[in-house]
Amino acid sequence: MHVDVRGFAFDLHVGGPAAGPPVLLLHGFPQHSGEWADVVPLLHAAGLRTYALDQRGYSPGARPAAVSAYRLGELVDDVVAVLERLGVAAAHVVGHDWGAAVSWALAADHPARVRSLTAVSVPHPAALAHALRSDRSQRARSAYMRLFRREGTAETVLLALRATGLRRMLAGAGDADRVAAYVEPMRAPGALSAALNWYRAMSRGDLAAVGPVSVPTTYVWSDRDIAIGRTAAEACAAHVTGAYRFVELTGVSHWIPDRAPAPLADAIVARVRDPR
C-alpha cells in the first residue's frame, strides 16, 4: 500500500492480526522493507501486527533530490507522519542499521509515539560517537563513510560492472537471489544517490542532539558485525534511562534480519511482551 504524507508517497507493507500490537519496522542501507521478510512471519505468529516502511529515498514516490532533505530530523518526521496517517498513536519500533539510527532519534524525541524500541546493529548515536573518539578499531570500521559521502564517486564505485561493489558489500546478507533483490532497486536512476544522501546529510550536530532514551529498549548486536565493534555496542547502555536489554548474537554478520531472523524475532517479541 501507499501512504501519502508530507507531500510524498511511501510504500508500506502491512501484515499480521489486525488487532495485534503494532510493530513498525525500519530498514537500513542499502536494503528496503524486504529485509524483514523472514522476520515478519514469526512476529505474526506471535500475534503482532507489522508495518514495514520503505523510507525516504527508498520509496520511489518519496525521493527528493536535495541532500538536506535527508537530515535525521526529516527522517524522524516521516515516521511520525506515517503513524499519524495510520491512526497508530504509538508503536513498538524496530530499526536495523540506518533504521536503528532513526529509531533512536524517534524514541528520544517522541517517546509518547514509541511503546518500546528494538534497535538492531547500530547503537545510540552517542555510543557510536564515543567509540569513534576512543577506539581505533571503530574508526577503521567506519572509514567507508568517507567514500559514501563523496557525491558521484560513491555511485560510480558501487554501481560499476553491474553493481559489483554493492553486491560485495551485501554478500553476507544471503544467497545471490537475496542480494539481487536489494541491489536491483538501487540501480534505478537516482535510487542509490537518494540512499547515499542519508550519509551526506548526516551531521555531528544532528547526531549529538539525540538524547537519552527513556522507553523500554533492547539493543541487538552481532559479534561479527564489520561496521560496529564491541566498544560502541557496550557503550549503548549508558544512553538508555528506561528498561534495557543487550542481546549479543554470536557468529552473525551485520545483516541480522537476513541471517538470524528467529533470534531477532525472539528479542522483539520478548521486548513487546515484557516492558521491564
Side-chain angles (χ1 to χ4, degrees):
M1 65 178 289
H2 295 296
V3 179
D4 296 322
V5 295
R6 309 191 72 210
F8 300 113
F10 289 89
D11 295 339
L12 183 72
H13 304 270
V14 182
V23 177
L24 179 67
L25 301 163
L26 302 177
H27 64 83
F29 174 88
Q31 298 177 285
H32 47 66
S33 60
E35 76 166 275
W36 306 107
D38 294 336
V39 178
V40 293
L42 304 174
L43 301 183
H44 297 166
L48 306 182
R49 179 76 161 173
T50 60
Y51 300 87
L53 179 67
D54 287 327
Q55 297 186 82
R56 178 176 293 224
Y58 295 85
S59 288
R63 192 170 285 165
V67 170
S68 60
Y70 295 86
R71 291 186 64 179
L72 186 57
E74 297 289 346
L75 309 174
V76 170
D77 287 348
D78 288 343
V79 175
V80 172
V82 167
L83 290 175
E84 288 181 350
R85 181 55 58 91
L86 293 172
V88 176
H92 299 279
V93 179
V94 181
H96 173 242
D97 187 80
W98 257 112
V102 174
S103 299
W104 285 113
L106 175 70
D109 294 345
H110 302 276
R113 291 284 186 183
V114 182
R115 297 190 189 183
S116 73
L117 169 64
T118 302
V120 187
S121 298
V122 170
H124 190 286
L128 182 55
H130 162 76
L132 287 169
R133 290 191 302 269
S134 63
D135 183 14
R136 181 181 301 174
S137 172
Q138 185 59 57
R139 289 194 291 273
R141 290 170 186 266
S142 299
Y144 69 92
M145 293 186 190
R146 290 197 292 270
L147 170 63
F148 286 5
R149 289 170 67 89
R150 295 177 62 187
E151 295 186 49
T153 301
E155 287 88 339
T156 297
V157 170
L158 294 174
L159 293 177
L161 301 174
R162 295 184 57 82
T164 295
L166 269 181
R167 293 179 199 278
R168 286 177 177 168
M169 189 180 76
L170 285 158
D175 62 19
D177 288 341
R178 183 176 292 262
V179 169
Y182 297 135
V183 169
E184 290 309 310
M186 288 290 97
R187 298 180 68 199
L192 180 59
S193 292
L196 289 168
N197 279 345
W198 288 49
Y199 291 92
R200 294 163 183 165
M202 177 177 60
S203 74
R204 291 184 180 180
D206 286 346
L207 296 177
V210 179
V213 168
S214 60
V215 305
T217 297
T218 296
Y219 173 50
V220 183
W221 175 75
S222 46
D223 65 356
R224 292 191 181 178
D225 192 318
I226 194 171
I228 302 294
R230 184 171 296 278
T231 298
E234 293 184 347
C236 198
H239 303 282
V240 180
T241 61
Y244 179 72
R245 296 175 192 153
F246 175 42
V247 176
E248 179 178 339
L249 303 180
T250 58
V252 180
S253 72
H254 175 78
W255 314 105
I256 292 175
D258 300 276
R259 304 304 287 176
L264 176 55
D266 288 345
I268 296 168
V269 171
R271 174 47 71 201
V272 169
R273 289 179 174 171
D274 183 2
R276 295 172 296 174

